[in-house]
Amino acid sequence: MFSEKKVIDKLDAIGRGTAWIPEYHSLSQIDSFNSHLKVIAERAERDGTDVEDSLGPDELAWISNEYNICWCDDRYWLESYAYINADGTLQRFEPRASQSMLLDTWAEREEAGRAIEQQWLKSRQQGFSTIAELAIAKKLNFGVGIKAAIASYDQDACERMGGMWELAFNEMPSWMKANPTTDRAASVKAFGATNCRLTFYSGKKAAGIARGDTPSVI
């Protein structure tokens, strides 16, 4: 969800059912935990044990808290866990003014109970492709029954678009990532446990885009 009001309502609903109180964390706190978890994982690998068996109640509580907040709050996930390629440098996503405006329009549509449907007429170098790919990555990883599609005018362009999605997915912490059950490069990514699927389409293919399918996000 992109609407702060909708996010608060969702978190409150979860809290009423579980007595969980969501705790938002700063980037430095997130980086510190990730480093801590890396040390635990390296020690488990040396000892030949599963990292899951090495996690204590504090680590498990942190993971549960972060996962649930990210599931509800797209903006928190975007600014805390999403990474992009910025001119050859891997960095955490920081929304530009144009991207923040776009997220605000999505939030307005959510609050009005409308679908997020927009056409961007050749808005080059505004980061709109990036934010769209990140939104798809988030929906696929946390959603259930999501059918997503990425399409561009030819296969090379489609692969470049898909690369943004791939990078964001790969850079998520291991405890956050969904487990892909089908992974065909620049073709199909499927997650059997959640019934989610991402399909890549080229506009130059005779079969057309998403023919015989009904994507819920594209």
Side-chain angles (χ1 to χ4, degrees):
M1 299 179 189
F2 303 96
S3 162
E4 183 179 0
K5 178 179 181 299
K6 291 283 188 179
V7 169
I8 291 173
D9 289 345
K10 188 65 174 179
L11 293 176
D12 285 346
I14 297 175
R16 288 194 300 272
T18 63
W20 166 62
I21 300 175
E23 181 179 357
Y24 281 78
H25 293 109
S26 67
L27 298 183
S28 61
Q29 288 175 311
I30 292 171
D31 289 340
S32 177
F33 179 80
N34 289 340
S35 297
H36 169 67
L37 202 63
K38 184 178 180 180
V39 171
I40 293 177
E42 291 173 348
R43 184 169 61 240
E45 185 177 3
R46 287 196 305 269
D47 296 341
T49 59
D50 291 333
V51 64
E52 292 83 357
D53 297 333
S54 304
L55 300 178
D58 290 340
E59 287 88 8
L60 293 173
W62 170 286
I63 289 172
S64 178
N65 177 83
E66 293 297 289
Y67 190 93
N68 284 328
I69 292 179
C70 287
W71 176 56
C72 296
D73 192 338
D74 283 64
R75 296 191 196 228
Y76 182 68
W77 178 84
L78 282 167
E79 297 182 29
S80 301
Y81 291 97
Y83 280 80
I84 62 172
N85 181 348
D87 297 324
T89 301
L90 181 68
Q91 69 176 44
R92 183 179 266 124
F93 172 72
E94 295 181 24
R96 306 177 190 176
S98 57
Q99 292 167 325
S100 293
M101 291 172 63
L102 181 62
L103 291 172
D104 288 342
T105 65
W106 290 356
E108 290 172 3
R109 286 182 169 274
E110 281 184 340
E111 292 181 11
R114 297 177 179 175
I116 297 174
E117 296 179 333
Q118 291 177 304
Q119 289 184 338
W120 308 319
L121 303 180
K122 206 61 175 177
S123 50
R124 291 185 54 77
Q125 304 304 316
Q126 298 302 311
F128 285 4
S129 295
T130 298
I131 196 72
E133 297 303 325
L134 293 179
I136 289 175
K138 160 68 168 53
K139 284 184 176 296
L140 276 169
N141 191 74
F142 291 87
V144 176
I146 301 294
K147 292 183 179 180
I150 294 175
S152 195
Y153 68 95
D154 66 12
Q155 191 62 30
D156 288 343
C158 188
E159 288 182 15
R160 288 195 297 272
M161 295 277 285
M164 302 177 192
W165 177 93
E166 194 86 43
L167 176 64
F169 178 78
N170 289 339
E171 290 301 319
M172 280 190 284
S174 59
W175 51 264
M176 179 179 286
K177 283 195 291 189
N179 182 35
T181 51
T182 301
D183 190 351
R184 297 199 294 270
S187 178
V188 176
K189 313 284 183 183
F191 304 87
T194 56
N195 193 29
C196 290
R197 184 180 76 248
L198 169 63
T199 308
F200 298 85
Y201 295 97
S202 166
K204 289 187 176 181
K205 288 187 176 180
I209 294 174
R211 185 173 296 175
D213 202 357
T214 308
S216 53
V217 57
I218 186 169

